[in-house]
Amino acid sequence: MNLATTSDGTNHQGRRLSRYRRWQARKRAELQARHTRSATRRLARRAKKEKRHATQVNHRISKEIVSVARRTGRGIAVEELGGIRERVQLRRDQRGTLSSWSFHQLGQHLAYKAKRAGVPFVEVDAHHTSQRCPRCGHTERANRPERDHFRCRRCGLAGPADVVAGVNVRDRARSAWVFVTAPAPSP
């Protein structure tokens, strides 16, 4: 699972965070089975600790992304993922993963750190970013036969799906940035 992927192909993986959350879930189940007041207090402390850990991971990722953008003189664009929990239907075993995915917090960290560093920041529409070919523009669900792989049915472009989506987000941000920074038309 990648927490963030840049258009350059840099992946910020969440494997360690996922492993930590699974370990916490096992410990939580053990404590919940006890049904004691001390177990309830320990559950509350564990929940806070897990939340602090995820926040620290998001801070570290956002700090690295902003520093690279500042050093290279580029901006940051992210997908606007508001309402994703209501739009998608998942199997029962996937619901906990989606609920603990802190994309909003990562976006907030990126926004305030980019503003502080003077790096342009924009949110773009996430519609079909992982199914659209950045070379020919062909959009089809079959372009992404597996979660991790992208292969355009029209022109044959292939690569990691997250990197292709990152390139599409970059391209959308460039066109959106033109509208944001364009001078107002004179009457």
Side-chain angles (χ1 to χ4, degrees):
M1 177 176 121
N2 295 328
L3 296 177
T5 302
T6 65
S7 60
D8 297 336
T10 305
N11 286 328
H12 299 278
Q13 296 198 352
R15 247 188 228 129
R16 292 179 70 192
L17 181 60
S18 298
R19 196 175 322 130
Y20 178 76
R21 284 190 164 146
R22 282 194 306 271
W23 179 77
Q24 286 284 15
R26 283 195 306 271
K27 293 297 182 184
R28 194 177 318 121
E30 290 172 9
L31 286 170
Q32 286 171 343
R34 289 185 185 172
H35 301 294
T36 63
R37 268 190 285 166
S38 65
T40 305
R41 284 192 300 268
R42 290 177 76 184
L43 280 168
R45 283 198 311 265
R46 278 191 176 276
K48 290 176 187 175
K49 185 176 181 179
E50 183 177 351
K51 186 176 179 181
R52 285 192 310 268
H53 182 73
T55 300
Q56 189 267 338
V57 169
N58 283 334
H59 269 297
R60 195 171 61 234
I61 290 170
S62 61
K63 183 178 178 180
E64 185 176 337
I65 291 172
V66 170
S67 69
V68 168
R70 184 174 182 196
R71 187 176 66 242
T72 58
R74 292 189 240 166
I76 297 172
V78 295
E79 292 176 321
E80 199 277 305
L81 294 173
I84 193 168
R85 289 186 177 104
E86 292 80 30
R87 286 187 309 223
V88 297
Q89 285 189 331
L90 300 170
R91 295 187 318 258
R92 173 176 255 160
D93 62 332
Q94 295 174 325
R95 292 178 192 157
T97 304
L98 182 67
S99 295
S100 64
W101 184 35
S102 56
F103 61 87
H104 182 70
Q105 184 186 58
L106 181 60
Q108 285 178 327
H109 290 329
L110 283 168
Y112 91 81
K113 288 179 184 189
K115 184 177 180 182
R116 184 186 295 168
V119 173
F121 178 84
V122 65
E123 286 186 337
V124 298
D125 183 27
H127 197 65
H128 294 303
T129 53
S130 63
Q131 298 173 5
R132 182 181 180 278
C133 177
R135 184 190 296 162
C136 69
H138 178 67
T139 304
E140 184 181 347
R141 183 174 276 180
N143 282 348
R144 192 167 174 186
E146 300 171 21
R147 185 197 172 285
D148 293 334
H149 302 292
F150 178 89
R151 181 167 179 79
C152 181
R153 296 283 189 193
R154 185 180 292 164
C155 72
L157 177 74
D162 288 340
V163 175
V164 171
V167 170
N168 284 327
V169 168
R170 180 192 65 200
D171 293 345
R172 284 188 186 174
R174 284 180 178 163
S175 61
W177 193 254
V178 169
F179 290 119
V180 171
T181 60
S186 58

